[in-house]
Amino acid sequence: MVRPLPTFAFLALALSACGTPDFNIPAPWEPVEGPRAEVPTANLQPTAPPWARIGSSIRGKPIVAATLGDGPLRVYVIGGIAGDEPEGPAAAEVLRDELFKAVFAHATIRVVRDMNPDGSANRTRANTRSVDLTRNWPSRDHIAGRREGAAPASELETTVIQKDLAAFTPDLVVVFRSSAGGPVVAMAGPGRV
């Protein structure tokens, strides 16, 4: 007489035909994701636009700028022009971050962090070729010299900013400067161009 196999024997035979069991399959009560699968909202806070390279200094250091807003008034800010005035680039960094936090639609502001990164690295007023970039701007009354440059816009840094200015077409240009005697507010009117 043939005895019928118990039910569990059929189950064991069926499982053995499937191969080695995979014990890594999570049970329905075990979470597949960690206990906090959501992305923390602190990381999703918007940040100011990154500095974008617009050119290079004579030694190849980046000259960077960031543009904020999209309003009709166009403001161009140069954070640093003299390498011995570190307050300007530092203020440009803060300005970019703070302007980004403000909600405004009336202006487009372009901030250049430092026009003279070689001078800033050496803590000298002039660029690598000993030209004072504040005196190298193109104008009819430019006086050629060792300190002013052989010609208007003879320096790479000046031409980088000049091209960026022409492309941006600002209504107002602001240049950050510093003084040993404390803060100074000055305005230069239209030059003889």
Side-chain angles (χ1 to χ4, degrees):
M1 170 170 174
V2 178
R3 293 176 113 186
L5 289 172
T7 309
F8 69 87
F10 284 114
L11 184 58
L13 284 172
L15 287 176
S16 67
C18 294
T20 307
D22 184 3
F23 294 106
N24 294 326
I25 300 172
W29 57 85
E30 294 174 356
V32 175
E33 298 175 353
R36 299 270 318 169
E38 308 91 40
V39 177
T41 56
N43 293 341
L44 297 178
Q45 295 297 323
T47 57
W51 295 108
R53 186 182 203 127
I54 60 170
S56 301
S57 67
I58 293 170
R59 290 197 173 172
K61 289 184 175 62
I63 298 174
V64 296
T67 304
L68 303 118
D70 60 0
L73 177 65
R74 300 179 68 76
V75 180
Y76 195 91
V77 178
I78 299 174
I81 192 168
D84 60 352
E85 297 177 0
E87 299 86 356
E93 190 88 33
V94 172
L95 179 70
R96 177 196 65 158
D97 295 343
E98 292 302 314
L99 283 177
F100 178 73
K101 293 176 189 175
V103 177
F104 59 95
H106 59 279
T108 302
I109 302 174
R110 182 128 170 109
V111 181
V112 175
R113 186 179 183 283
D114 189 357
M115 178 181 164
N116 187 6
D118 293 347
S120 294
N122 294 329
R123 296 184 182 164
T124 59
R125 179 176 186 82
N127 71 353
T128 298
R129 296 178 358 135
S130 300
V131 173
D132 182 348
L133 298 178
T134 62
R135 300 174 185 276
N136 191 242
W137 293 98
S139 64
R140 284 188 221 149
D141 59 349
H142 180 270
I143 301 169
R146 187 179 63 79
R147 187 174 173 201
E148 295 80 9
S154 61
E155 302 307 299
L156 179 59
E157 298 89 347
T158 308
T159 59
V160 165
I161 299 302
Q162 186 179 12
K163 287 177 185 175
D164 197 51
L165 272 165
F168 185 74
T169 62
D171 299 307
L172 174 68
V173 176
V174 178
V175 179
F176 290 164
R177 301 297 310 268
S178 61
S179 167
V184 175
V185 176
M187 180 184 155
R192 295 183 301 164
V193 179

PDB file of all heavy atoms in Angstrom, residues 6 36 59 80 88 91 93 102 106 115 161 173 183:
ATOM      1  N   PRO A   6       2.536  13.627   3.162  1.00  0.00           N
ATOM      2  CA  PRO A   6       1.871  14.713   3.878  1.00  0.00           C
ATOM      3  C   PRO A   6       1.981  16.015   3.075  1.00  0.00           C
ATOM      4  O   PRO A   6       2.855  16.198   2.233  1.00  0.00           O
ATOM      5  CB  PRO A   6       2.633  14.818   5.186  1.00  0.00           C
ATOM      6  CG  PRO A   6       3.649  13.741   5.190  1.00  0.00           C
ATOM      7  CD  PRO A   6       3.647  13.086   3.851  1.00  0.00           C
ATOM      8  N   ARG A  36      13.645  57.800   8.126  1.00  0.00           N
ATOM      9  CA  ARG A  36      13.359  59.161   7.645  1.00  0.00           C
ATOM     10  C   ARG A  36      13.794  59.225   6.191  1.00  0.00           C
ATOM     11  O   ARG A  36      14.900  59.615   5.885  1.00  0.00           O
ATOM     12  CB  ARG A  36      14.111  60.199   8.456  1.00  0.00           C
ATOM     13  CG  ARG A  36      13.794  60.245   9.917  1.00  0.00           C
ATOM     14  CD  ARG A  36      12.697  61.143  10.318  1.00  0.00           C
ATOM     15  NE  ARG A  36      12.729  62.409   9.648  1.00  0.00           N
ATOM     16  CZ  ARG A  36      11.739  63.253   9.701  1.00  0.00           C
ATOM     17  NH1 ARG A  36      10.680  62.966  10.376  1.00  0.00           N
ATOM     18  NH2 ARG A  36      11.791  64.391   9.070  1.00  0.00           N
ATOM     19  N   ARG A  59      48.091  86.378 -14.458  1.00  0.00           N
ATOM     20  CA  ARG A  59      48.606  85.115 -13.922  1.00  0.00           C
ATOM     21  C   ARG A  59      47.584  83.981 -14.002  1.00  0.00           C
ATOM     22  O   ARG A  59      47.819  82.897 -13.478  1.00  0.00           O
ATOM     23  CB  ARG A  59      49.038  85.298 -12.479  1.00  0.00           C
ATOM     24  CG  ARG A  59      50.276  86.146 -12.370  1.00  0.00           C
ATOM     25  CD  ARG A  59      50.910  85.998 -11.038  1.00  0.00           C
ATOM     26  NE  ARG A  59      52.181  86.694 -11.058  1.00  0.00           N
ATOM     27  CZ  ARG A  59      52.912  86.889 -10.004  1.00  0.00           C
ATOM     28  NH1 ARG A  59      52.519  86.442  -8.842  1.00  0.00           N
ATOM     29  NH2 ARG A  59      54.055  87.531 -10.106  1.00  0.00           N
ATOM     30  N   GLY A  80      36.351  94.815  -6.119  1.00  0.00           N
ATOM     31  CA  GLY A  80      37.738  95.174  -5.855  1.00  0.00           C
ATOM     32  C   GLY A  80      38.440  95.573  -7.128  1.00  0.00           C
ATOM     33  O   GLY A  80      38.267  94.959  -8.165  1.00  0.00           O
ATOM     34  N   GLY A  88      36.809  95.525  -0.402  1.00  0.00           N
ATOM     35  CA  GLY A  88      35.929  95.514  -1.567  1.00  0.00           C
ATOM     36  C   GLY A  88      35.470  94.119  -1.977  1.00  0.00           C
ATOM     37  O   GLY A  88      34.271  93.866  -2.069  1.00  0.00           O
ATOM     38  N   ALA A  91      33.185  92.723   0.660  1.00  0.00           N
ATOM     39  CA  ALA A  91      31.858  93.353   0.615  1.00  0.00           C
ATOM     40  C   ALA A  91      31.057  92.838  -0.577  1.00  0.00           C
ATOM     41  O   ALA A  91      29.839  92.651  -0.483  1.00  0.00           O
ATOM     42  CB  ALA A  91      32.002  94.866   0.546  1.00  0.00           C
ATOM     43  N   GLU A  93      31.174  89.861  -1.853  1.00  0.00           N
ATOM     44  CA  GLU A  93      30.698  88.520  -1.472  1.00  0.00           C
ATOM     45  C   GLU A  93      29.433  88.638  -0.627  1.00  0.00           C
ATOM     46  O   GLU A  93      28.432  87.965  -0.879  1.00  0.00           O
ATOM     47  CB  GLU A  93      31.798  87.808  -0.688  1.00  0.00           C
ATOM     48  CG  GLU A  93      31.543  86.353  -0.429  1.00  0.00           C
ATOM     49  CD  GLU A  93      32.045  85.466  -1.538  1.00  0.00           C
ATOM     50  OE1 GLU A  93      33.055  85.766  -2.180  1.00  0.00           O
ATOM     51  OE2 GLU A  93      31.393  84.435  -1.762  1.00  0.00           O
ATOM     52  N   ALA A 102      16.949  89.236  -0.845  1.00  0.00           N
ATOM     53  CA  ALA A 102      15.923  90.254  -1.055  1.00  0.00           C
ATOM     54  C   ALA A 102      15.117  89.908  -2.308  1.00  0.00           C
ATOM     55  O   ALA A 102      15.650  89.438  -3.298  1.00  0.00           O
ATOM     56  CB  ALA A 102      16.573  91.625  -1.222  1.00  0.00           C
ATOM     57  N   HIS A 106      12.879  95.234  -9.607  1.00  0.00           N
ATOM     58  CA  HIS A 106      13.100  96.545 -10.231  1.00  0.00           C
ATOM     59  C   HIS A 106      14.515  96.723 -10.771  1.00  0.00           C
ATOM     60  O   HIS A 106      14.801  97.714 -11.423  1.00  0.00           O
ATOM     61  CB  HIS A 106      12.765  97.656  -9.237  1.00  0.00           C
ATOM     62  CG  HIS A 106      13.591  97.598  -7.988  1.00  0.00           C
ATOM     63  ND1 HIS A 106      13.295  96.749  -6.953  1.00  0.00           N
ATOM     64  CD2 HIS A 106      14.708  98.257  -7.631  1.00  0.00           C
ATOM     65  CE1 HIS A 106      14.193  96.896  -6.003  1.00  0.00           C
ATOM     66  NE2 HIS A 106      15.068  97.805  -6.384  1.00  0.00           N
ATOM     67  N   MET A 115      38.362  92.608  -9.500  1.00  0.00           N
ATOM     68  CA  MET A 115      38.927  92.866 -10.824  1.00  0.00           C
ATOM     69  C   MET A 115      40.429  92.594 -10.856  1.00  0.00           C
ATOM     70  O   MET A 115      40.997  92.384 -11.917  1.00  0.00           O
ATOM     71  CB  MET A 115      38.643  94.328 -11.181  1.00  0.00           C
ATOM     72  CG  MET A 115      39.207  94.774 -12.490  1.00  0.00           C
ATOM     73  SD  MET A 115      38.800  96.514 -12.746  1.00  0.00           S
ATOM     74  CE  MET A 115      39.955  96.904 -14.045  1.00  0.00           C
ATOM     75  N   ILE A 161      36.944  93.477 -17.809  1.00  0.00           N
ATOM     76  CA  ILE A 161      35.832  94.244 -17.232  1.00  0.00           C
ATOM     77  C   ILE A 161      35.189  95.129 -18.300  1.00  0.00           C
ATOM     78  O   ILE A 161      33.962  95.260 -18.352  1.00  0.00           O
ATOM     79  CB  ILE A 161      36.301  95.078 -16.021  1.00  0.00           C
ATOM     80  CG1 ILE A 161      36.831  94.156 -14.928  1.00  0.00           C
ATOM     81  CG2 ILE A 161      35.184  95.963 -15.497  1.00  0.00           C
ATOM     82  CD1 ILE A 161      35.842  93.126 -14.417  1.00  0.00           C
ATOM     83  N   VAL A 173      27.284 102.357 -12.507  1.00  0.00           N
ATOM     84  CA  VAL A 173      28.446 101.548 -12.147  1.00  0.00           C
ATOM     85  C   VAL A 173      28.896 101.981 -10.754  1.00  0.00           C
ATOM     86  O   VAL A 173      29.075 103.175 -10.487  1.00  0.00           O
ATOM     87  CB  VAL A 173      29.606 101.727 -13.158  1.00  0.00           C
ATOM     88  CG1 VAL A 173      30.839 100.940 -12.701  1.00  0.00           C
ATOM     89  CG2 VAL A 173      29.176 101.305 -14.549  1.00  0.00           C
ATOM     90  N   PRO A 183      35.501 104.902   6.229  1.00  0.00           N
ATOM     91  CA  PRO A 183      34.652 104.831   5.038  1.00  0.00           C
ATOM     92  C   PRO A 183      34.577 106.164   4.302  1.00  0.00           C
ATOM     93  O   PRO A 183      34.553 107.228   4.917  1.00  0.00           O
ATOM     94  CB  PRO A 183      33.280 104.458   5.591  1.00  0.00           C
ATOM     95  CG  PRO A 183      33.509 104.014   6.984  1.00  0.00           C
ATOM     96  CD  PRO A 183      34.789 104.618   7.446  1.00  0.00           C
TER      97      PRO A 183
END
